[in-house]
Amino acid sequence: MSYDRLPQKARQLREEVADLLAQAEATDAREDAEADADRRGDDVPAELQRRETRLGRIREAKRALEARAKAEAAAAGQPTESVKPAAKAQYNFTDPDSRIMKGPDGFVQAYNAQIAVDDLQLIVGQAVTQETNDKQQLVPMIATIAEQSGDTPTELLADAGYCSDANLAAIEATPIDAYISTRKQKHGERPGPCPRGPLPPTATRVDRMTRKLHTKTGAAIYAARKTIVEPVFGQIKQARGFRQFLLRGLEKVQGEWALVCTTHNILKLYRMSLW
C-alpha cells in the first residue's frame, strides 16, 4: 500500500469500526434483554477485531515508511526533521523488508541478491540487499569477497548496473584492475573499435573506462564475464529452479540465499572432482 493511501484506508476502517460498534451495541441491548441473568451477548464481533488489527498494521506501516524516509535522508546527508515519504512510497504487509523492484516481467516485490564468482564459477561472495539497483553494491561486495573467501580480487568484471563515478573513484583507490561496463549492451553486441588518439583532458572516469573497454585487451577481458558469472545465475535459476525466496524477512532471506549459494559451490566442487 502506498503512503498516500494509508490515511484513506485508515479513515475507511475507522468508519467501519464505528458502524460495527453501533451494530454491536444494538445487538448487545437486544441480547441482554433476551439472555438469562448469567449470560450476556457482549462478545466483540470478529469483524471488529479484524478491522482493529488492520488499523494497527496501517499505523505500523505509516511509522515504518516515515522512519525509512528519514534514514534515507540521513544517509544522503540531508536534514531529517521535516522529511516525509513520497506519496507513492510502498509498504508491503506480507513482507515489510522487501521492496518493489523491476524484474524481467515487470515490477515485483523482491530482494536484490548479489553474487561474486571466480573463473571456476565458484561463488566467492554473496549477499542480499534491499537496494533496488546495484549502484551501491560494488564496494560492499568487494569487502564481502574478502570476508567470505579470505581473499581480495586483483581483477574485477562488472556490468553496467555497477557503473557510477563514485564506484570508479573508489576502485581507483585500490590495486584492483577493474573492467566495468559503462552502458547496458544489447544481446550479442560487440564493442566498436577503440578511437584513435589520447583522451581529452576533460575526460571523465566513465569516459576513461569506456576507452579501456574498447581496447582489444579490455574487450577480450570483459567478454569473459559472460562465461563466468552469467552461467551461475542460469544454473541456480534454470537448472535448479530457484525462482523466488520461500522465506520472508531480510534476515531469513539472507540465510536462504547463503544456503542456495553454498549448495551451488558443493555441487560445482563435486563435479570438478569427477573431471
Side-chain angles (χ1 to χ4, degrees):
M1 191 177 293
S2 62
Y3 183 73
D4 62 348
R5 191 168 166 239
L6 290 173
Q8 300 171 16
K9 191 65 177 177
R11 283 194 297 272
Q12 176 190 333
L13 287 169
R14 283 194 292 268
E15 291 171 0
E16 291 176 1
V17 166
D19 289 341
L20 285 167
L21 285 172
Q23 293 175 30
E25 288 179 4
T27 301
D28 285 348
R30 184 179 69 252
E31 290 181 348
D32 285 348
E34 298 171 355
D36 297 330
D38 59 348
R39 178 173 170 271
R40 291 180 57 83
D42 54 3
D43 295 333
V44 179
E47 297 286 343
L48 181 59
Q49 289 180 325
R50 280 198 293 270
R51 281 163 176 78
E52 290 286 7
T53 299
R54 291 180 69 187
L55 267 173
R57 297 197 68 190
I58 284 176
R59 286 192 289 267
E60 178 185 332
K62 187 172 182 291
R63 287 194 297 268
L65 286 175
E66 290 169 350
R68 188 190 304 172
K70 289 186 176 182
E72 290 172 354
Q78 300 171 352
T80 62
E81 292 78 11
S82 58
V83 170
K84 284 190 176 181
K88 298 303 178 184
Q90 298 280 331
Y91 182 89
N92 184 276
F93 289 94
T94 303
D95 186 353
D97 288 346
S98 64
R99 299 289 183 266
I100 291 180
M101 301 183 188
K102 189 174 183 180
D105 303 318
F107 289 93
V108 294
Q109 201 74 28
Y111 290 93
N112 184 343
Q114 299 278 317
I115 57 171
V117 178
D118 69 8
D119 53 4
L120 296 176
Q121 295 183 358
L122 289 168
I123 297 173
V124 293
Q126 56 78 24
V128 176
T129 80
Q130 296 165 302
E131 299 291 338
T132 57
N133 61 56
D134 298 327
K135 285 285 190 289
Q136 308 298 322
Q137 305 311 313
L138 185 68
V139 175
M141 279 306 294
I142 292 172
T144 297
I145 294 169
E147 178 186 346
Q148 295 180 356
S149 73
D151 196 12
T152 299
T154 57
E155 191 173 78
L156 181 146
L157 314 179
D159 65 25
Y162 296 89
C163 185
S164 71
D165 188 76
N167 284 344
L168 296 180
I171 286 291
E172 284 180 2
T174 73
I176 298 173
D177 185 18
Y179 297 82
I180 303 174
S181 179
T182 56
R183 64 180 182 85
K184 190 172 183 179
Q185 297 178 350
K186 296 179 181 178
H187 181 70
E189 179 183 353
R190 294 178 178 274
C194 184
R196 294 181 178 274
L199 281 166
T202 56
T204 65
R205 291 186 179 90
V206 173
D207 293 334
R208 291 198 294 271
M209 180 58 71
T210 300
R211 173 67 67 91
K212 183 178 181 179
L213 293 175
H214 275 77
T215 63
K216 287 184 178 180
T217 300
I221 290 174
Y222 185 77
R225 183 184 170 278
K226 63 186 177 184
T227 65
I228 297 175
V229 67
E230 294 301 337
V232 176
F233 278 115
Q235 290 155 17
I236 290 174
K237 291 181 177 180
Q238 191 64 31
R240 294 182 203 112
F242 186 81
R243 292 285 179 175
Q244 65 184 45
F245 291 107
L246 302 179
L247 301 179
R248 298 173 184 170
L250 180 59
E251 185 177 358
K252 291 181 180 179
V253 167
Q254 286 172 331
E256 187 176 357
W257 184 236
L259 183 60
V260 169
C261 293
T262 302
T263 301
H264 169 86
N265 281 354
I266 290 172
L267 291 172
K268 185 69 67 174
L269 289 168
Y270 171 73
R271 292 189 176 104
M272 286 178 183
S273 70
L274 300 180
W275 291 354

